[in-house]
């Protein structure tokens, strides 16, 4: 059996074990990564990975706690170099993103992140709403499309209006900063807590 | 069909609609909460719930960003009253918890939060490790138990040693604060980011 070099590399990163040990474990597990990691640990050749956590990108982790400490946000924004991560303009951009999330409670970063069934369910509700309001059937689809657009503007971070400048969307703020700083940036993930909310 | 009062209340909280409307929708949905919410929205009687987020408890949301901004933590600690949430001792306790999570990277708050299959897998690995090291079979179980205990001490927040005082566990710190402040407290949830980690 041929063991793929990429798989060996993955196992090395996960296990911190040597290359030959990883190869042998993968042969034994017939290419099953989890099983191979288990084999290495059982042989004492690897330690338990607490969590795969190797830094792959540069950037910043930032938080924002709203006064009163009942709303809090944690956000990661990536850039390409450590140099830019230390740049004041980048720092201020990341801070604005944390503030935006606290204030506007997005559910998703990009509209691509919304599961298809969520959109379908929303569309169906909007259509039936329009029908129940006595709207003619031929314009019901159009009404639903308009409401979906509004759903994006409310729930998708990149489509939200920037709380500090209602003339631009967060997407525009991102693009402006990419242009000014001259490096690609990605709003990677966020977590937003409200005190006592059901999760 | 009899509609349970608790269900009506839940729907009211979710939908912000009136009691009679909620009751009717639940009758129509035969007691299905999601369906009833959908019906209310289609009739224009409820707005989309962004996220159920009514504050059920008091407490604080706190964050800790490690210098360099490559590690960040968001944590919620609950207490019983707003009065205690504003207490400096409580604030300092919550801050210590955020610091602990940043420094010691727990995976769970309490050992009850660990899925059974995780424990089983760890146990199996420890047993086979011991066997592979040539340990006699009759003590292998005992060795595995000892290692599971260590696994808890490393990965469970309440079982970890407090980074600022290695003589006590976080569980002790919690109990001490409950006793000092005189109100129950619960470390409810946390999120920990490392820059660039795979999630």
């Amino acid at each position: 059996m041929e063991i793929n070099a990429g798989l060996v590399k993955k196992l090395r990163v996960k296990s911190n074990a040597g290359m030959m040990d990883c190869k042998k474990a993968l042969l034994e597990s017939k290419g099953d990564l989890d099983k191979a990691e288990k084999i290495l640990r059982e042989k004492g050749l690897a330690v338990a990975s607490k969590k795969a956590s190797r830094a792959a990108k540069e950037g910043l982790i930032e938080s924002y706690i709203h006064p009163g400490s009942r709303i809090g946000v944690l956000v990661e924004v990536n850039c390409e170099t450590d140099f830019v991560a230390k740049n004041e303009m980048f720092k201020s951009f990341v801070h604005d993103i944390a503030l935006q999330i606290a204030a506007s409670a997005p559910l998703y970063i990009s509209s691509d992140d919304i599961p298809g069934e969520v959109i379908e369910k929303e569309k169906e509700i909007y259509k039936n709403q329009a029908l129940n309001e006595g709207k003619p059937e031929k314009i019901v689809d159009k009404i639903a499309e308009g409401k979906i657009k509004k759903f994006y503007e409310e729930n998708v971070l990149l489509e939200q209006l920037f709380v500090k400048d209602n003339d631009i969307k967060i997407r525009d703020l991102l693009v402006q900063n990419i242009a000014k700083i001259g490096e690609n940036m990605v709003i990677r993930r966020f977590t937003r807590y409200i005190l006592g909310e059901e999760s």
Side-chain angles (χ1 to χ4, degrees), chain A residues 5 39 70 112 115 117 191:
Chain A
I39 291 168
R70 300 178 80 91
D112 298 341
E117 60 269 26
T191 301

Side-chain angles (χ1 to χ4, degrees), chain A residues 1-197:
Chain A
M1 190 191 170
E2 196 63 51
I3 294 297
N4 175 299
L7 212 55
V8 176
K9 203 175 157 195
K10 260 192 192 161
L11 184 58
R12 290 197 63 187
V13 169
K14 280 189 91 172
S15 66
N16 274 318
M19 194 177 66
M20 286 315 294
D21 291 326
C22 289
K23 225 170 177 173
K24 266 165 68 182
L26 279 166
L27 274 169
E28 203 177 324
S29 77
K30 299 190 174 63
D32 182 321
L33 197 63
D34 282 342
K35 228 187 228 167
E37 195 189 359
K38 197 160 167 269
I39 291 168
L40 283 174
R41 287 187 58 201
E42 287 175 0
K43 290 187 173 159
L45 295 170
V47 292
S49 59
K50 288 192 85 159
K51 211 173 182 184
S53 59
R54 313 229 147 198
K57 289 172 189 162
E58 291 302 326
L60 291 177
I61 312 274
E62 167 76 315
S63 68
Y64 174 78
I65 303 289
H66 192 71
S69 300
R70 300 178 80 91
I71 296 177
V73 167
L74 194 64
V75 65
E76 173 173 355
V77 181
N78 294 131
C79 55
E80 293 174 45
T81 62
D82 186 40
F83 182 72
V84 161
K86 287 176 180 141
N87 175 312
E88 286 305 321
M89 237 191 291
F90 181 71
K91 280 186 190 168
S92 144
F93 169 65
V94 176
H95 181 74
D96 280 343
I97 295 299
L99 194 79
Q100 173 79 25
I101 294 166
S104 302
L107 299 177
Y108 310 97
I109 293 175
S110 140
S111 51
D112 298 341
D113 301 332
I114 310 178
E117 60 269 26
V118 170
I119 295 294
E120 284 318 307
K121 190 189 155 201
E122 288 298 316
K123 246 184 216 165
E124 207 192 318
I125 289 173
Y126 297 141
K127 274 188 205 171
N128 290 329
Q129 251 175 19
L131 288 172
N132 284 333
E133 285 164 5
K135 296 279 176 359
E137 230 187 297
K138 57 182 176 181
I139 63 161
V140 155
D141 272 333
K142 217 172 164 181
I143 292 173
E145 285 301 330
K147 290 205 174 174
I148 283 291
K149 204 175 153 246
K150 211 169 156 240
F151 177 82
Y152 286 161
E153 286 164 4
E154 279 174 7
N155 297 297
V156 174
L157 177 62
L158 289 173
E159 308 301 329
Q160 286 181 340
L161 294 178
F162 180 28
V163 285
K164 283 182 165 181
D165 175 1
N166 269 275
D167 288 333
I168 59 169
K169 286 183 174 189
I170 295 298
R171 179 190 301 286
D172 304 319
L173 184 70
L174 174 65
V175 170
Q176 283 172 10
N177 274 279
I178 290 174
K180 268 194 290 188
I181 300 175
E183 200 168 272
N184 196 19
M185 293 166 200
V186 177
I187 303 168
R188 174 106 184 281
R189 52 180 172 164
F190 69 88
T191 301
R192 184 179 187 272
Y193 283 178
I194 299 182
L195 190 73
E197 83 188 318

